[in-house]
Amino acid sequence: EVQLVESGGLVVQPGGSLRLSCAASGFTFDDYTMHWVRQAPGKGLERVSLITSDGGSTFYADSVKGRFTISRDNSRNSLYLQMNSLRTEDTALYYCAKEREQLIHFDSRGQGTLVTVSS
Amino acid sequence: EIVMTQSPATLSVSPGERATLSCRASQSVTNKLAWYQQKPGQAPRLLIYGASTRATGIPARFSGRGSGTEFTLTIGSLQSEDFAVYSCQQYNDWPSYTFGQGTKLEIK
Protein backbone atom coordinates (compact mmCIF):
# COMPACT_ATOMS: atom_id res chain seq x y z
CA GLU A 1 0.00 0.00 0.00
CA VAL A 2 1.29 3.45 -0.93
CA GLN A 3 2.63 5.40 2.01
CA LEU A 4 4.15 8.88 2.03
CA VAL A 5 5.41 10.16 5.37
CA GLU A 6 6.47 13.77 5.59
CA SER A 7 8.76 15.11 8.30
CA GLY A 8 10.99 18.04 9.15
CA GLY A 9 8.46 20.77 9.78
CA LEU A 10 9.33 23.20 12.57
CA VAL A 11 8.91 26.74 13.77
CA VAL A 12 11.61 28.87 12.14
CA GLN A 13 12.37 32.56 12.02
CA PRO A 14 12.03 34.59 8.82
CA GLY A 15 15.19 34.23 6.76
CA GLY A 16 15.87 30.82 8.19
CA SER A 17 16.24 27.44 6.50
CA LEU A 18 14.58 24.06 6.82
CA ARG A 19 14.79 20.71 5.08
CA LEU A 20 11.67 18.63 4.64
CA SER A 21 11.77 14.91 3.95
CA CYS A 22 9.27 12.45 2.56
CA ALA A 23 9.73 8.71 3.03
CA ALA A 24 7.97 6.68 0.36
CA SER A 25 6.96 3.03 0.43
CA GLY A 26 4.53 0.65 -1.22
CA PHE A 27 5.41 1.55 -4.79
CA THR A 28 8.43 1.70 -7.09
CA PHE A 29 9.61 5.15 -6.09
CA ASP A 30 12.04 5.69 -8.95
CA ASP A 31 9.26 5.21 -11.51
CA TYR A 32 7.40 8.33 -10.45
CA THR A 33 7.57 12.09 -10.69
CA MET A 34 7.10 13.51 -7.20
CA HIS A 35 5.57 16.75 -5.97
CA TRP A 36 5.52 18.98 -2.92
CA VAL A 37 2.13 20.65 -2.37
CA ARG A 38 1.41 23.07 0.44
CA GLN A 39 -1.65 24.54 2.10
CA ALA A 40 -1.41 27.78 4.05
CA PRO A 41 -3.87 28.27 6.91
CA GLY A 42 -7.32 28.99 5.50
CA LYS A 43 -6.01 28.94 1.93
CA GLY A 44 -6.19 26.63 -1.06
CA LEU A 45 -3.66 24.08 -2.21
CA GLU A 46 -0.50 25.26 -3.98
CA ARG A 47 1.83 22.98 -5.89
CA VAL A 48 5.28 24.13 -4.85
CA SER A 49 7.67 21.94 -6.77
CA LEU A 50 8.11 18.74 -8.73
CA ILE A 51 10.99 16.49 -9.68
CA THR A 52 10.96 13.87 -12.40
CA SER A 53 11.60 10.21 -11.67
CA ASP A 54 15.32 10.33 -12.41
CA GLY A 55 15.82 13.72 -10.81
CA GLY A 56 16.78 15.19 -14.15
CA SER A 57 14.12 17.88 -14.27
CA THR A 58 12.66 20.10 -11.61
CA PHE A 59 10.00 22.78 -11.51
CA TYR A 60 9.18 25.48 -8.98
CA ALA A 61 6.27 27.78 -8.39
CA ASP A 62 7.22 31.44 -8.84
CA SER A 63 6.55 32.01 -5.15
CA VAL A 64 9.50 29.77 -4.15
CA LYS A 65 11.81 29.93 -7.14
CA GLY A 66 15.40 30.66 -6.14
CA ARG A 67 14.72 29.85 -2.48
CA PHE A 68 13.57 26.20 -2.47
CA THR A 69 15.36 23.19 -3.93
CA ILE A 70 13.71 19.84 -4.50
CA SER A 71 15.76 16.67 -4.63
CA ARG A 72 15.38 12.93 -4.29
CA ASP A 73 17.41 9.89 -3.34
CA ASN A 74 16.00 6.92 -5.21
CA SER A 75 18.26 4.53 -3.31
CA ARG A 76 16.55 5.63 -0.09
CA ASN A 77 13.03 6.07 -1.54
CA SER A 78 13.11 9.61 -0.25
CA LEU A 79 12.07 13.06 -1.44
CA TYR A 80 13.42 16.30 -0.01
CA LEU A 81 12.66 20.01 -0.04
CA GLN A 82 15.41 22.38 1.02
CA MET A 83 13.80 25.67 2.02
CA ASN A 84 16.00 28.76 2.36
CA SER A 85 15.25 32.44 2.98
CA LEU A 86 11.94 31.48 4.53
CA ARG A 87 9.18 34.06 4.66
CA THR A 88 6.09 34.30 6.82
CA GLU A 89 3.99 33.48 3.74
CA ASP A 90 5.72 30.07 3.53
CA THR A 91 3.84 29.05 6.67
CA ALA A 92 1.82 26.03 5.59
CA LEU A 93 1.21 22.33 5.85
CA TYR A 94 3.46 20.63 3.31
CA TYR A 95 2.47 17.38 1.61
CA CYS A 96 4.45 15.18 -0.71
CA ALA A 97 2.57 13.43 -3.48
CA LYS A 98 3.25 11.22 -6.46
CA GLU A 99 2.22 11.79 -10.01
CA ARG A 100 0.66 9.04 -12.06
CA GLU A 101 -0.69 9.66 -15.57
CA GLN A 102 -0.44 13.42 -14.99
CA LEU A 103 -2.55 13.21 -11.84
CA ILE A 104 -1.34 14.10 -8.36
CA HIS A 105 -2.00 11.37 -5.82
CA PHE A 106 -1.70 12.02 -2.10
CA ASP A 107 -1.41 9.39 0.60
CA SER A 108 -4.93 9.25 2.03
CA ARG A 109 -3.45 8.77 5.48
CA GLY A 110 -0.88 11.52 5.01
CA GLN A 111 -0.67 14.14 7.71
CA GLY A 112 1.75 16.51 6.03
CA THR A 113 4.41 18.40 7.94
CA LEU A 114 3.79 21.85 9.37
CA VAL A 115 6.18 24.68 8.67
CA THR A 116 5.67 27.85 10.69
CA VAL A 117 7.73 30.91 9.85
CA SER A 118 7.46 33.42 12.64
CA SER A 119 9.62 35.70 14.70
CA GLU B 1 -0.24 30.60 -15.21
CA ILE B 2 -3.79 29.31 -15.48
CA VAL B 3 -5.93 30.69 -12.68
CA MET B 4 -8.65 28.42 -11.31
CA THR B 5 -11.61 30.14 -9.66
CA GLN B 6 -14.13 28.21 -7.60
CA SER B 7 -17.59 29.30 -6.51
CA PRO B 8 -19.11 29.64 -4.09
CA ALA B 9 -16.49 29.87 -1.35
CA THR B 10 -18.92 28.22 1.07
CA LEU B 11 -22.02 26.19 0.26
CA SER B 12 -24.56 25.26 2.92
CA VAL B 13 -26.69 22.24 2.04
CA SER B 14 -28.89 19.88 4.04
CA PRO B 15 -28.10 16.15 4.17
CA GLY B 16 -29.97 14.29 1.45
CA GLU B 17 -30.00 17.27 -0.88
CA ARG B 18 -27.87 17.84 -3.96
CA ALA B 19 -24.84 20.15 -4.09
CA THR B 20 -23.34 21.70 -7.19
CA LEU B 21 -19.90 23.29 -7.08
CA SER B 22 -18.34 25.33 -9.87
CA CYS B 23 -14.82 25.79 -11.15
CA ARG B 24 -13.69 28.14 -13.89
CA ALA B 25 -10.32 28.24 -15.65
CA SER B 26 -8.79 31.46 -16.96
CA GLN B 27 -8.05 29.66 -20.23
CA SER B 28 -8.98 26.33 -21.72
CA VAL B 29 -7.71 23.25 -19.92
CA THR B 30 -9.58 20.93 -22.33
CA ASN B 31 -10.85 18.12 -20.06
CA LYS B 32 -7.75 17.96 -17.85
CA LEU B 33 -9.53 18.90 -14.69
CA ALA B 34 -9.49 17.03 -11.39
CA TRP B 35 -11.53 17.41 -8.22
CA TYR B 36 -10.21 16.67 -4.73
CA GLN B 37 -11.98 16.28 -1.41
CA GLN B 38 -10.23 17.28 1.79
CA LYS B 39 -11.41 16.71 5.33
CA PRO B 40 -9.86 18.34 8.41
CA GLY B 41 -6.55 16.77 9.34
CA GLN B 42 -6.39 14.72 6.17
CA ALA B 43 -4.57 14.93 2.87
CA PRO B 44 -6.62 15.67 -0.27
CA ARG B 45 -8.33 12.70 -1.90
CA LEU B 46 -8.75 12.45 -5.66
CA LEU B 47 -12.44 12.23 -6.61
CA ILE B 48 -12.71 13.02 -10.30
CA TYR B 49 -10.24 13.25 -13.16
CA GLY B 50 -10.62 13.95 -16.84
CA ALA B 51 -13.43 16.32 -15.76
CA SER B 52 -15.93 13.46 -15.42
CA THR B 53 -14.25 10.15 -14.55
CA ARG B 54 -14.61 8.97 -10.98
CA ALA B 55 -11.43 7.76 -9.31
CA THR B 56 -11.26 4.26 -7.89
CA GLY B 57 -13.66 3.72 -5.01
CA ILE B 58 -15.56 7.00 -5.40
CA PRO B 59 -19.34 6.60 -5.02
CA ALA B 60 -21.62 7.21 -7.97
CA ARG B 61 -23.28 10.17 -6.24
CA PHE B 62 -20.19 12.19 -7.22
CA SER B 63 -20.27 13.39 -10.82
CA GLY B 64 -18.28 15.89 -12.83
CA ARG B 65 -19.06 17.76 -16.00
CA GLY B 66 -17.55 20.36 -18.25
CA SER B 67 -14.73 21.09 -20.65
CA GLY B 68 -12.66 24.03 -21.72
CA THR B 69 -13.07 26.63 -19.00
CA GLU B 70 -16.29 25.73 -17.13
CA PHE B 71 -16.65 22.73 -14.84
CA THR B 72 -19.04 21.49 -12.19
CA LEU B 73 -18.94 18.87 -9.47
CA THR B 74 -22.31 17.57 -8.38
CA ILE B 75 -22.87 15.51 -5.27
CA GLY B 76 -26.29 13.89 -5.24
CA SER B 77 -28.06 13.08 -1.96
CA LEU B 78 -25.43 14.39 0.43
CA GLN B 79 -24.18 12.07 3.12
CA SER B 80 -22.67 13.22 6.41
CA GLU B 81 -19.20 12.17 5.25
CA ASP B 82 -19.42 14.44 2.18
CA PHE B 83 -19.14 17.67 4.14
CA ALA B 84 -15.60 18.79 3.40
CA VAL B 85 -13.56 21.18 1.25
CA TYR B 86 -13.52 20.52 -2.48
CA SER B 87 -10.78 21.79 -4.76
CA CYS B 88 -10.43 21.71 -8.51
CA GLN B 89 -7.06 21.42 -10.23
CA GLN B 90 -5.99 21.72 -13.84
CA TYR B 91 -3.30 19.46 -15.22
CA ASN B 92 -3.43 20.58 -18.83
CA ASP B 93 -0.51 22.97 -18.41
CA TRP B 94 2.27 20.60 -17.24
CA PRO B 95 4.30 21.30 -15.18
CA SER B 96 2.40 24.42 -14.07
CA TYR B 97 -0.42 22.65 -12.29
CA THR B 98 -2.77 25.01 -10.44
CA PHE B 99 -5.54 24.54 -7.90
CA GLY B 100 -8.65 26.54 -7.15
CA GLN B 101 -9.02 28.13 -3.74
CA GLY B 102 -11.56 25.55 -2.63
CA THR B 103 -15.27 25.40 -1.78
CA LYS B 104 -16.25 24.49 1.75
CA LEU B 105 -19.38 22.32 1.76
CA GLU B 106 -21.06 22.66 5.14
CA ILE B 107 -24.15 21.28 6.76
CA LYS B 108 -27.16 23.57 6.64
Side-chain angles (χ1 to χ4, degrees):
Chain A
E1 191 171 359
V2 171
Q3 193 166 8
L4 299 168
V5 180
E6 304 91 348
S7 62
L10 286 173
V11 179
V12 61
Q13 291 189 338
S17 296
L18 209 54
R19 189 195 198 205
L20 305 184
S21 300
C22 171
S25 60
F27 64 102
T28 306
F29 182 70
D30 55 11
D31 278 351
Y32 291 89
T33 290
M34 297 295 294
H35 297 251
W36 284 101
V37 177
R38 69 184 180 184
Q39 187 164 35
K43 302 290 186 181
L45 297 163
E46 180 187 16
R47 206 285 310 280
V48 171
S49 185
L50 74 79
I51 185 167
T52 53
S53 57
D54 63 356
S57 295
T58 58
F59 173 84
Y60 300 92
D62 287 345
S63 57
V64 307
K65 199 173 295 182
R67 300 186 299 121
F68 289 12
T69 302
I70 191 171
S71 62
R72 64 192 296 161
D73 184 340
N74 286 346
S75 68
R76 295 178 181 269
N77 289 347
S78 293
L79 176 71
Y80 306 102
L81 187 68
Q82 177 67 43
M83 309 165 68
N84 298 330
S85 303
L86 282 161
R87 304 169 180 169
T88 54
E89 56 264 36
D90 295 318
T91 293
L93 191 58
Y94 286 73
Y95 295 101
C96 68
K98 74 183 185 75
E99 179 181 319
R100 180 167 58 90
E101 297 175 351
Q102 293 188 297
L103 293 166
I104 294 177
H105 295 264
F106 297 86
D107 177 355
S108 60
R109 297 158 299 175
Q111 299 288 304
T113 188
L114 182 62
V115 174
T116 303
V117 184
S118 174
S119 54
Chain B
E1 175 181 289
I2 298 175
V3 177
M4 307 302 292
T5 303
Q6 291 185 242
S7 60
T10 303
L11 182 62
S12 299
V13 183
S14 300
E17 294 188 341
R18 171 182 296 194
T20 299
L21 291 65
S22 296
C23 175
R24 173 178 292 178
S26 61
Q27 64 189 76
S28 177
V29 298
T30 63
N31 70 332
K32 295 196 173 179
L33 190 285
W35 289 95
Y36 292 84
Q37 176 193 66
Q38 190 174 19
K39 298 180 181 180
Q42 296 184 16
R45 173 194 183 194
L46 178 66
L47 294 178
I48 300 282
Y49 63 94
S52 60
T53 303
R54 284 188 302 276
T56 302
I58 302 303
R61 63 181 182 274
F62 290 90
S63 62
R65 295 189 63 178
S67 66
T69 62
E70 300 285 343
F71 301 88
T72 58
L73 173 69
T74 299
I75 311 169
S77 189
L78 280 162
Q79 308 296 302
S80 57
E81 62 267 28
D82 298 335
F83 292 95
V85 175
Y86 292 85
S87 299
C88 62
Q89 179 239 328
Q90 66 81 17
Y91 54 99
N92 187 62
D93 185 22
W94 195 94
S96 301
Y97 291 174
T98 46
F99 290 87
Q101 79 278 21
T103 291
K104 182 180 181 181
L105 181 59
E106 64 177 27
I107 300 175
K108 186 175 183 180

